[in-house]
Amino acid sequence: MVSGFPPPLLGRLSFLLGKLHLLTLEAEDEGLAQLDVGVKQHAALSVLVGEGPMTQQELGRRMGVDRTTVVGVVDALDERELVERRRSPADRRSNLLTVTASGHETEQRGRRLVADAEERVLDGLDGSDRDRLRELLGRALGGG
Amino acid sequence: MVSGFPPPLLGRLSFLLGKLHLLTLEAEDEGLAQLDVGVKQHAALSVLVGEGPMTQQELGRRMGVDRTTVVGVVDALDERELVERRRSPADRRSNLLTVTASGHETEQRGRRLVADAEERVLDGLDGSDRDRLRELLGRALGGG
DNA sequence: TATTGTTATACTCTATAACTATA
DNA sequence: TATAGTTATAGAGTATAACAATA
């Protein structure tokens, strides 16, 4: 598939990133569809699995989104019984989000599906170039 | 600048691309602010300068957006007298978009501002790594 | 008073449907 | 009938403001 976009756009970093971002999101969503979770939901699940129980506020901070946005994400995960909202005993204003057994399973399967989807998106690059792209993106973001 | 995002997110391609995309858009918009044009407007201007006069439909096709979206972009450029809508003599349904002298000037200045903004975003990478990142992104889009 | 989760609301971006004037 | 540009509208996504419970 030839991109077909004119040089003035292909030389623009925001355009390259935007297009590839869109393609990647679509591929990941398509892959996760069989688990009935979206990219955002699975990302939240992964953070909770990787970092342990935390409040909605804290989840939002780590994902870089507002706490009002977190409500909808957790609603979706809660409905599917992938996470539970437990009232924190220490501070009863906050919910301690905990991943259920089914949630752990979904997170693990999803991780594989996401990885497969990303490989399809990066079809035009060989293995070492894929690694290099990830490494460069991470370094550009500052964390490495 | 330490990213502060947890590993489960930093390993996700869509997350890396999404965050860097947002940072890049903001930087480009900030740079272009002194010319009073947005990224989308300047991108359209660049396509018109690079490819010559074309209809709004054609501009939309090349930019990968709907013709209804093009209306607003051209409105903004038209108001600032950077492009003109000329009724095509061959087919009077369509507008032949032509860049004004002021439009050419704005495009050229903007190109520099965009380049500077992108360098700031890619501050964490040296020159050859920046080139490599662009090359990999372009190849991922072109081949995949 | 300040904070957590929530809801209502608004804003941005983009697309679909429908209208007009041409073809 | 079909197409280019336009307008009205709707949808996704996210944020700000306000409220109840709790600190």
Side-chain angles (χ1 to χ4, degrees), chain A residues 31 35-36 55 73 78 85 89-90 92 114 116 130 137-138:
Chain A
L35 296 180
D36 202 30
T55 67
V73 175
D78 194 359
R85 284 174 158 113
R92 294 196 345 260
V114 167
D116 291 348
R130 290 178 197 169
L137 289 171

Side-chain angles (χ1 to χ4, degrees), chain A residues 77-95:
Chain A
L77 292 172
D78 194 359
E79 279 171 22
R80 287 170 181 74
E81 299 185 344
L82 302 175
V83 307
E84 278 179 11
R85 284 174 158 113
R86 295 193 186 156
R87 223 64 192 176
S88 165
D91 183 343
R92 294 196 345 260
R93 290 173 300 183
S94 58
N95 295 330

Side-chain angles (χ1 to χ4, degrees), chain A residues 4-88:
Chain A
F5 293 113
L9 296 184
L10 292 176
R12 189 170 299 238
L13 189 60
S14 60
F15 185 83
L16 293 170
L17 290 168
K19 285 298 174 194
L20 194 58
H21 179 220
L22 206 61
L23 285 176
T24 306
L25 266 188
E26 287 170 355
E28 289 183 8
D29 258 324
E30 193 179 335
L32 288 171
Q34 64 183 274
L35 296 180
D36 202 30
V37 291
V39 168
K40 203 118 210 168
Q41 279 78 40
H42 184 261
L45 210 49
S46 293
V47 172
L48 289 171
V49 165
E51 313 268 304
M54 65 186 73
T55 67
Q56 296 184 191
Q57 181 111 269
E58 181 63 17
L59 178 59
R61 195 187 65 73
R62 306 216 188 186
M63 297 185 68
V65 299
D66 194 83
R67 65 200 163 115
T68 61
T69 303
V70 173
V71 173
V73 175
V74 174
D75 277 349
L77 292 172
D78 194 359
E79 279 171 22
R80 287 170 181 74
E81 299 185 344
L82 302 175
V83 307
E84 278 179 11
R85 284 174 158 113
R86 295 193 186 156
R87 223 64 192 176
S88 165

Side-chain angles (χ1 to χ4, degrees), chain B residues 12-32:
Chain B
R12 190 169 300 234
L13 188 60
S14 60
F15 185 84
L16 294 169
L17 289 168
K19 284 298 175 196
L20 193 57
H21 179 220
L22 206 61
L23 285 176
T24 306
L25 266 187
E26 287 170 355
E28 290 183 6
D29 259 324
E30 193 179 336
L32 288 172

Side-chain angles (χ1 to χ4, degrees), chain B residues 32 42 46 49 106-116:
Chain B
L32 288 172
H42 184 261
S46 293
V49 166
T106 296
E107 192 277 333
Q108 202 162 3
R109 285 193 200 169
R111 212 187 307 169
R112 182 56 156 287
L113 294 170
V114 166
D116 291 348

